[in-house]
């Protein structure tokens, strides 16, 4: 019986190997494992085996049966699932996978638009460091130590008395170290504030500084430049208002507000129910600051402004919360 079992296993495996169609597998199964199959008839002889050899022969018979069943299952997998797996791996007619190509962040897109407009008006673009000295962020801008304006522009201090710049205004001073009037420049970049966040305020956001110095520059030049800029961004019907504001580095200082485009002026969470949103600070450069730039205030005058890029971008796209911009949420970003 031992020889018969070994012979049967050999025969079954050879036969199985030659099978090429899944339909043939059923016949094979009936032929070997069925009620009247070859293996079954050998197993029937077990009762004639001497009692003492029966356990060993029984386990050999079982091993043979399991071996044939496992080989049959393997063959089934190869013949039935194999082609499907192979097909799905190399299906050449399916469209390619979409890798979801990214794009520029809406703030960067908007900043590019702002730069294009100012460049078309003859401004050059300059940059400055995000980590600043107190001298450039405050002192040279007429904000000495213990000046109350340092509270309004509180920020994050880093080692060595350095700080994360609170505004882009220090870039005016840095740029003027290398330039002589007349100048017309903008300085876009990220700024930082130690303040509570809400729908209109973030602890880090973007500004774009502007500086014009020449002979006979007046407030009229300042207002017309900014009005022209805002109309190029938001259209000719945009409503702005100019009101006095105190900034230590300008004299006089002006804030430019724009009617809230989110609520149309009726009041909402973004404009804090005022109907108007402060878009930028500006003014005529203070004589002391001109001197700190190495410019003679008796010969030259100039204006400066600091645009809040995030708020302008929010109005441009009707976004009602500044925090979406920094959330990294692709559902927000994919809209631009
Ligand atoms: C300044 O930062 C001045 N350096 C601007 C300036 C430049 C005035 C040159 C005069 C001459 P202010 O803190 O107001 O000013 O900020 C300017 C603009 O940044 C604001 O009008 C507003 O649009 C935006 N802004 C201010 N704080 C935040 C904030 N926390 N989140 C988002 N935007 C802000």
């Amino acid at each position: 019986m031992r020889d018969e079992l070994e012979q049967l296993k050999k025969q079954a495996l050879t036969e199985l190997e030659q099978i090429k169609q899944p339909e043939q597998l059923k016949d094979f199964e009936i032929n070997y494992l069925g009620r009247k199959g070859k293996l079954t008839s050998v197993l029937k002889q077990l009762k004639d085996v001497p009692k003492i050899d029966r356990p060993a022969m029984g386990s050999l018979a079982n091993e043979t049966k399991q071996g044939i069943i496992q080989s049959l299952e393997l063959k089934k997998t190869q013949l039935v699932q194999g082609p499907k797996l192979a097909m799905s791996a190399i299906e050449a007619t399916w469209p390619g996978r979409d890798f979801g190509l990214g794009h520029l962040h809406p703030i960067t897109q908007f900043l590019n638009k702002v730069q294009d407009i100012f460049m078309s008006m003859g401004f050059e673009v300059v940059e400055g460091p995000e980590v600043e000295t107190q001298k450039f962020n405050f002192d040279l801008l007429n904000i000495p130590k213990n000046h109350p304006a340092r509270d309004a522009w509180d920020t994050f201090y880093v080692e060595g008395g350095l700080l994360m710049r609170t505004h882009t205004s220090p870039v005016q001073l840095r740029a003027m170290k290398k330039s002589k009037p007349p100048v017309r420049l903008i300085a876009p970049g990220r700024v930082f504030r130690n303040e509570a966040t809400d729908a209109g305020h973030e602890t880090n956001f973007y500004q774009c500084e502007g500086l014009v110095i020449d002979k006979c520059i007046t407030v009229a030049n300042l207002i017309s430049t900014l009005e022209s800029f805002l109309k190029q961004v938001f259209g000719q019907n945009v409503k702005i208002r100019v009101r006095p504001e105190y900034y230590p580095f300008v004299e006089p200082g002006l804030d430019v507000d724009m009617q809230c485009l989110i609520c149309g002026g009726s009041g909402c969470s973004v404009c804090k129910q005022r109907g108007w949103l402060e878009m930028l600070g500006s003014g005529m450069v203070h004589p002391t600051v001109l001197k700190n730039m190495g410019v003679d205030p008796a010969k030259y005058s100039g204006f400066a402004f600091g645009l809040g890029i995030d708020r302008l971008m929010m109005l441009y796209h009707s976004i009602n919360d500044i925090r979406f911009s920094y959330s990294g949420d692709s559902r927000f970003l994919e809209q631009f």
Side-chain angles (χ1 to χ4, degrees):
M1 189 179 170
R2 178 184 296 276
D3 290 346
E4 254 182 292
L5 279 170
E6 277 169 7
Q7 189 59 34
L8 192 71
K9 189 175 174 188
K10 226 172 166 182
Q11 191 192 347
L13 296 185
T14 313
E15 215 173 287
L16 201 55
E17 219 174 277
Q18 285 160 2
I19 289 179
K20 297 276 180 277
Q21 301 301 329
E23 305 80 58
Q24 295 172 274
L25 292 172
K26 197 71 207 161
D27 292 343
F28 172 90
E29 194 173 352
I30 295 169
N31 200 14
Y32 281 92
L33 304 167
R35 213 156 37 90
K36 293 182 184 162
K38 289 178 186 171
L39 182 66
T40 319
S41 52
V42 176
L43 293 184
K44 278 180 187 159
Q45 298 169 24
L46 204 58
K47 62 178 190 322
D48 304 327
V49 174
K51 239 184 181 174
I52 187 147
D53 296 332
R54 226 178 270 166
M57 211 46 69
S59 99
L60 180 68
N62 199 36
E63 255 174 50
T64 308
K65 188 177 176 183
Q66 290 310 319
I68 295 175
I69 291 174
Q70 276 175 16
S71 305
L72 175 65
E73 289 307 316
L74 190 68
K75 190 75 184 185
K76 266 188 199 164
T77 313
Q78 284 168 355
L79 290 182
V80 180
Q81 293 180 7
K84 274 194 199 157
L85 287 174
M87 258 176 71
S88 66
I90 55 149
E91 178 53 57
T93 57
W94 284 0
R97 246 186 230 154
D98 183 2
F99 286 103
L101 204 61
H103 59 68
L104 293 178
H105 191 280
I107 289 183
T108 312
Q109 291 177 28
F110 189 77
L111 207 43
N112 289 344
K113 190 181 177 70
V114 170
Q115 291 183 33
D116 286 347
I117 293 173
F118 279 111
M119 275 154 62
S120 76
M121 293 199 260
F123 284 73
E124 71 169 305
V125 181
V126 296
E127 283 187 343
E130 289 178 2
V131 179
E132 257 302 357
T133 59
Q134 298 195 29
K135 186 174 153 193
F136 276 94
N137 197 75
F138 293 128
D139 297 297
L140 295 177
L141 287 168
N142 240 356
I143 312 172
K145 220 178 174 129
N146 303 322
H147 191 291
R150 288 206 182 199
D151 282 345
W153 282 303
D154 191 20
T155 181
F156 307 101
Y157 286 78
V158 290
E159 276 177 19
L162 297 172
L163 49 79
M164 306 306 292
R165 67 177 177 191
T166 40
H167 47 179
T168 41
S169 296
V171 189
Q172 299 177 21
L173 295 148
R174 291 192 174 275
M176 289 310 290
K177 278 172 120 188
K178 299 183 201 137
S179 308
K180 293 262 163 294
V183 290
R184 227 183 289 183
L185 58 88
I186 55 165
R190 193 195 283 246
V191 299
F192 307 83
R193 303 253 168 121
N194 178 12
E195 63 178 301
T197 56
D198 60 28
H201 293 80
E202 255 298 352
T203 51
N204 87 82
F205 56 99
Y206 282 79
Q207 284 189 344
C208 181
E209 192 76 8
L211 177 70
V212 173
I213 303 179
D214 206 340
K215 288 181 175 146
C216 306
I217 296 289
T218 67
V219 173
N221 300 128
L222 163 61
I223 295 175
S224 68
T225 304
L226 292 174
E227 188 167 15
S228 164
F229 163 73
L230 289 171
K231 286 192 165 165
Q232 285 187 66
V233 177
F234 294 101
Q236 294 303 313
N237 295 330
V238 89
K239 285 200 182 110
I240 63 162
R241 72 177 186 190
V242 178
R243 58 188 165 78
E245 180 59 279
Y246 171 69
Y247 294 100
F249 33 92
V250 287
E251 181 57 46
L254 307 169
D255 264 354
V256 178
D257 296 346
M258 205 171 84
Q259 194 168 62
C260 182
L261 298 179
I262 309 272
C263 61
S266 59
C268 66
S269 62
V270 175
C271 62
K272 291 192 174 154
Q273 313 305 329
R274 290 184 191 127
W276 294 87
L277 259 177
E278 179 197 323
M279 288 294 117
L280 58 108
S282 62
M284 301 304 291
V285 184
H286 195 287
T288 308
V289 177
L290 280 177
K291 277 188 208 152
N292 291 344
M293 289 174 179
V295 176
D296 182 356
K299 274 197 199 157
Y300 292 100
S301 56
F303 67 79
F305 56 86
L307 304 172
I309 293 298
D310 300 62
R311 296 216 189 137
L312 286 167
M313 188 278 280
M314 286 166 72
L315 281 190
Y316 187 72
H317 288 300
S318 301
I319 297 166
N320 62 7
D321 198 314
I322 192 171
R323 290 165 291 195
F324 283 129
S325 287
Y326 301 95
S327 65
D329 189 336
S330 55
R331 289 168 304 178
F332 169 75
L333 297 171
E334 278 163 7
Q335 296 175 49
F336 302 94

